[in-house]
Each structure stands twice: as C-alpha cells, then as structure tokens.
Amino acid sequence: MTFAFVGLGLMGSPMAVRLARAGHPLRVWNRTAAKCAAAVAAGATQAASAADAARGADIVFLCLSDSRAVEAAVFGPEGVAEGIGAGAVVVDFSSVAPDATRAFAARLKAERGAEWVDAPVSGGVAGAEAGTLAVMAGGDQAACARVEPYVKAMAARFTRMGPVGAGQTTKLCNQVIVGSLMCVIAEAARLAANAGIDALKLPEALSGGWADSKPLQICLPRMVKAIHDPPLGAAWTMLKDLDAARALAQRTNTPLPVSAAAAEVFRTLCAREGDEADALRIFALSAPRQGEHGS
Amino acid sequence: MTFAFVGLGLMGSPMAVRLARAGHPLRVWNRTAAKCAAAVAAGATQAASAADAARGADIVFLCLSDSRAVEAAVFGPEGVAEGIGAGAVVVDFSSVAPDATRAFAARLKAERGAEWVDAPVSGGVAGAEAGTLAVMAGGDQAACARVEPYVKAMAARFTRMGPVGAGQTTKLCNQVIVGSLMCVIAEAARLAANAGIDALKLPEALSGGWADSKPLQICLPRMVKAIHDPPLGAAWTMLKDLDAARALAQRTNTPLPVSAAAAEVFRTLCAREGDEADALRIFALSAPRQGEHGS
C-alpha cells in the first residue's frame, strides 16, 4: 500500500507524521512546502505537486481548511485528480459542506474512477498528535472498510455513518454541539467570575458530572487565562461549520434555536477581531468594561 | 456521628440508602412517608417529623426540589430548625438560588447556632444510585471539612468553591452548561434525522471527541426513542435553574446569549406540555409535522 497526504496544516501535519511513523510509504504535499518538514523528518517523501503525491497511491488523504481548498487541491492544476488512478480512494479529513462533498465524489468517480470517503474528524490538534481523533465517515461500504485500518493509524475511532456526505453531515452535528458548548462554557466561566467564584475551579468541580467535556477541561482554563498562543483554532472555521449546519437545517426544516445563538457569538467575534481571532476569545467578548465600578 | 436525611425523592432516596448502607445511624423524614421505604430497608429509622429527624443529629442532609421546599422543611412547623442543635451542620443538596441559600444560612445560625453548607449535586439519579455524584460546596471551611468524609459516602467528588452560596452559584454555572447541552444535543439529533442519518449512531461516532458528554450518551438515545418512563427530570426544574442563572446574570451584568435561548426552549416545553413534562421532550418540540410531505 502506498499513501499520499495533501494538506499538512495544524491538523494534517501531526496526522501525516503518525502515518509515516507507522511505516507506510507516504508522499506528502502542501501548498506551503515548509509545513511538510515534520512529516518528512518522520520518513515521508516530499512530492512536487498534489498530482505527483497522488500518482500510484492507493489512498490519498486530504486535510484542508474548507471546500474551496479541497476543490483547488483535487481539481485544480496539478491537483490530485491529475495523478490519482482508478480504484484508488480519496479520504477527506477536511470539514466540507455535505453537498459539496457529494459533488466532489461524483466528479472524481466520473473523471478518474476513484472513490471518495468523507472522513471529518473531531479532537483538535491535541487529538491529532495523540492519535485519539474520532473520525465520522461517509462512503461506499467497501471503500470505508478498505481505508479504516490505515485511518486507525491516525485516529482512535472510525464510524461509518452512511453513504458519501454522511460523515460531513455528522461533523456538522458535532459542531452544533461543540460550538455551542464552547459558548456556554464561556458564559458559565464569566457568570462565575462576575459572581465572585474562581472560574478556574469549575473544571475540577464539574469533572465527571453532566457538564463535563473535553472543551470544559481544555478550553475553560485557556479562556480565563487568555492563553491564545498557540490558538485553539480560528473563529471563522467554527463559524463556517455552524453556518453550514444552519444551511442544512434550513433545507431540512430543522429549528436550531440554541446553536444559532452560538453562531452569532462567533460572528460577533469575527466582526470585532477578524476571522483569524482565536475561537476562545468568545470569552473576552463579555469582559466587564475597564473601570466600570471605579470611574 | 448521627445523621438525619430530609427529602427522599428521586435523588434523595438513593443517596440516603447509600448513607445508611455505610453504617451510620440515620433518621430519615419525607413529606410523603412511603418514599422512606428504601432507606428504612437499608437500615435507616423513620422519623415523625423533620424536627424529630434533626434532634441530636450532627449533620442534617437535605435534598429538596426548590427554595420553597427547603424553607418549609427547615423553618416551617416541625421543621429542622425546631430540632437541630448548636454546632450541628445542615448540608443542603438541593438546588436553591444563591441569595436564598445565604438567607437560610444566616437565619439558622442566628436562631439555632447551626452551620449551613450548600452542596448541590450534578450527576442525576443514575449518579445518586452509583455514588458518582459531583458535589459543589459552599460554606465555612471548617464545616465543609467536617462534612466532606460523610458526603463522600454519597458522591465521588466534593469541591469547596467558597463561602455559603458559592456551591449554588457553581450549580447555576453547571446548569447553564447542562441545560444548553441538552438542547444542542436535541438539535444535532434532529438535524441528523432530518438529513437522513441514523441519529442513534451519534453517541458512538462522537464518543471520546469534543462533543462527547454524559448527556450525549444518556439523553440522546432516550430522546430519539422517546423513552420518558422513568422521566429524566421535570422540565420545570431545569427551567427554574436556568431562570435563576439568568437572574444572577442580570445582577452581575453577565450576557448569556446561548443559555438564554436554551431557557426559552424549556419554557416552550413547559408551556406546551406542562411543568412536569420530561425535560427530554425538548426533542419532540422539533418533530416534523405528521404527513407534511404526504398530504
């Protein structure tokens, strides 16, 4: 088995490193070539283009930021589609709208005879580094079965949710929960602080209870201590997913009263601080005005 | 050490059973006497009144539904305050507004010289039965230290958050998270179902990821399968806590845009189905109209 990995950003790089360390022949490509360094140090070969990486590969992994980036890397000049062979499988770890995913899969099948498995992940950079990601997959049953053992080099869990697009739909459900959870953790932390409680005690106090979650343990301390370096993630990537969930909800007549409010919190953050603001700065949005009680 | 336990409802009964089984002398009282049966079978003695239960007890545990019930059981006729001795401690597991808690504590101290530790819990009936509850405590440091070993017969975790009222404030933070989480889990499940995904696969697919939590694993299947017997809990108890959080937020100038939306979801459920409706019926609120596509 020969593999390609395209897109070695914050998530992709540690995933490619794990795949390379598992001993599989691996060619990597990234638009900014320098980001391949860690994977190359772990044994991967740097390819000259996405097409070059995909040539002869049995499985081509993608980990990109959005639909446009996936379209460019696959169907653009020197893209994956130019190199991939019939019967190969693209496994797309990116978060992409379900409709766009189905269009990509149909086009790749028609043009090159290759399969598509959408395989968005949950678990963040820490999960990518530790290999504890959860993968939500959509695709042909046989294609999913074929890629699962290799995906497991990078993830603790691989669940096939249905045909192509089902993984992306599941990821939107995941983001509806995670984005809202981040907002209400920020609300709880601010309420505690404003009421005179040490908000940093909340993760331990609520540990093991119904309010507990990875975001509570990981995000709350970083929010309260204003640790944004490295950032958890850009606010716009969460907003993109919540807006995609809302678009799907509109088409399927699904009310989302609570996660819609969460989307507007991230939109407010993007409007005030720019798209690249760390998502955890939602906590800063509710900071008391300086000198409110003193001036 | 001698104990009393007042309020043996869905939560209180399994807690009192655990305390009795730990071998401590325990007198129990409940307004509806029949609900004491399980605790009595576990070795507790049934008292004739809350005052009778509290007489001579070193620690009086309360587990009641709201501020009014606590006030009646403690300061009403034949209430705890009539029996409790100076130096004894009331440990209140109920969820009560922080202001009301501080008033109860001050009054009990002034009238009887007894201490108050507010100790609301998270973990639900299953946590009460398994002894895995998380207790968020507020009170005098010495009083908290004195009661902690005995509380641990009923809970896995006891965290002192500050002076009297701090436990209740923490519980409101907990409910801001849990109430909102229940709503967005319902939204994610409905979105999945409406988009053609098997919503019952979500807990496994998201297990171990950032969207994972006890409510995801416990509530989602019950929502989707419409299992409301036994109920998870009454919608109004969640609404009461979310409204108390909002009242605290108003006083402390804390914006709660996301959990305020969650409160309105529970209020909608109470308006449509009554206060006693199972909280998990929030999922039913977004059910597609019968025959929508067929008629």
Side-chain angles (χ1 to χ4, degrees):
Chain A
M1 294 288 281
T2 300
F3 301 120
F5 204 115
V6 169
L8 288 87
L10 279 175
M11 294 292 294
S13 178
M15 294 174 79
V17 164
R18 291 189 68 86
L19 190 63
R21 287 210 185 116
H24 304 295
L26 173 63
R27 285 194 301 274
V28 298
W29 183 79
N30 193 72
R31 205 178 42 177
T32 308
K35 292 189 179 168
C36 295
V40 168
T45 306
Q46 186 145 359
S49 66
D52 180 36
R55 206 159 280 128
D58 298 287
I59 305 178
V60 179
F61 297 100
L62 308 180
C63 194
L64 296 153
S65 56
D66 59 11
S67 304
R68 244 180 40 194
V70 171
E71 184 165 23
V74 177
F75 299 107
E78 299 187 81
V80 166
E82 288 184 14
I84 200 167
V89 187
V90 165
V91 174
D92 184 15
F93 294 125
S94 324
S95 288
V96 166
D99 284 352
T101 289
R102 283 187 282 264
F104 294 153
R107 183 171 167 194
L108 192 72
K109 182 81 172 183
E111 292 183 4
R112 308 292 303 184
E115 299 292 324
W116 191 284
V117 171
D118 49 307
V121 303
S122 175
V125 174
E129 285 167 351
T132 58
L133 296 170
V135 170
M136 302 148 255
D140 177 74
Q141 201 137 18
C144 284
R146 222 166 105 210
V147 304
E148 179 172 351
Y150 308 105
V151 171
K152 287 261 183 81
M154 297 169 273
R157 185 175 293 275
F158 178 98
T159 311
R160 180 178 179 269
M161 298 299 291
V164 167
Q168 298 296 354
T169 299
T170 305
K171 176 67 190 264
L172 294 184
C173 295
N174 183 79
Q175 296 300 79
V176 158
I177 296 173
V178 173
S180 307
L181 192 47
M182 284 171 58
C183 287
V184 295
I185 287 166
E187 291 182 7
R190 183 63 72 191
L191 184 62
N194 286 357
I197 301 282
D198 181 0
L200 290 170
K201 280 187 173 175
L202 288 176
E204 195 210 323
L206 308 185
S207 163
W210 278 42
D212 198 9
S213 63
K214 287 196 173 161
L216 180 74
Q217 298 299 330
I218 294 169
C219 298
L220 188 144
R222 292 173 66 164
M223 285 176 180
V224 173
K225 296 182 193 162
I227 298 172
H228 301 295
D229 184 20
L232 181 84
W236 78 269
T237 62
M238 181 55 81
L239 181 56
K240 168 194 70 132
D241 289 348
L242 291 175
D243 279 344
R246 196 139 42 148
L248 179 62
Q250 283 170 357
R251 275 204 311 285
T252 56
N253 203 21
T254 310
L256 299 180
V258 178
S259 52
E264 298 313 313
V265 172
F266 286 103
R267 200 181 319 284
T268 302
L269 178 58
C270 288
R272 286 180 57 110
E273 304 199 1
D275 286 357
E276 296 301 329
D278 185 22
L280 295 183
R281 286 194 56 79
I282 51 172
F283 180 70
L285 289 177
S286 64
R289 202 147 61 100
Q290 292 293 320
E292 188 183 10
H293 300 291
S295 64
Chain B
M1 295 286 281
T2 302
F3 301 120
F5 204 114
V6 170
L8 287 87
L10 277 175
M11 294 291 295
S13 177
M15 292 173 79
V17 164
R18 292 190 68 86
L19 191 63
R21 286 210 187 119
H24 304 294
L26 173 63
R27 286 195 301 275
V28 298
W29 183 79
N30 192 73
R31 204 178 45 178
T32 309
K35 292 190 178 168
C36 296
V40 168
T45 306
Q46 187 146 359
S49 66
D52 179 36
R55 205 160 280 126
D58 299 287
I59 305 178
V60 178
F61 298 100
L62 309 178
C63 193
L64 296 152
S65 56
D66 59 11
S67 302
R68 245 178 41 194
V70 172
E71 184 164 24
V74 177
F75 299 107
E78 298 188 84
V80 167
E82 287 183 15
I84 201 167
V89 186
V90 165
V91 174
D92 183 15
F93 294 126
S94 324
S95 289
V96 166
D99 283 353
T101 289
R102 284 187 283 264
F104 294 153
R107 184 173 167 192
L108 192 73
K109 183 79 175 185
E111 292 182 5
R112 308 292 303 182
E115 300 291 324
W116 191 285
V117 170
D118 48 308
V121 304
S122 175
V125 174
E129 286 167 351
T132 58
L133 296 171
V135 170
M136 300 148 260
D140 177 74
Q141 201 136 21
C144 285
R146 221 165 107 211
V147 304
E148 178 171 352
Y150 309 105
V151 172
K152 286 261 183 81
M154 297 169 273
R157 186 175 292 275
F158 178 97
T159 311
R160 180 179 180 268
M161 297 299 290
V164 166
Q168 298 296 353
T169 299
T170 305
K171 176 68 190 266
L172 294 184
C173 295
N174 183 79
Q175 295 301 79
V176 159
I177 296 174
V178 173
S180 307
L181 193 47
M182 284 171 59
C183 288
V184 295
I185 287 167
E187 291 182 6
R190 184 63 71 192
L191 184 62
N194 286 357
I197 301 282
D198 180 0
L200 290 170
K201 280 188 171 175
L202 287 176
E204 194 211 325
L206 308 185
S207 161
W210 278 44
D212 199 10
S213 64
K214 286 195 175 161
L216 180 74
Q217 299 298 330
I218 295 168
C219 299
L220 188 144
R222 292 172 66 164
M223 286 176 181
V224 172
K225 296 182 193 163
I227 299 171
H228 300 296
D229 185 20
L232 182 85
W236 79 270
T237 63
M238 181 55 80
L239 180 57
K240 167 195 72 129
D241 289 348
L242 290 175
D243 279 344
R246 198 140 40 148
L248 179 61
Q250 283 170 358
R251 274 203 312 285
T252 56
N253 203 21
T254 310
L256 299 181
V258 178
S259 51
E264 298 314 313
V265 172
F266 287 102
R267 198 181 321 282
T268 302
L269 178 59
C270 288
R272 286 180 58 110
E273 304 198 2
D275 286 357
E276 296 300 329
D278 185 21
L280 296 183
R281 286 195 54 79
I282 50 172
F283 180 71
L285 289 178
S286 64
R289 201 147 62 99
Q290 293 292 322
E292 186 182 10
H293 301 292
S295 63

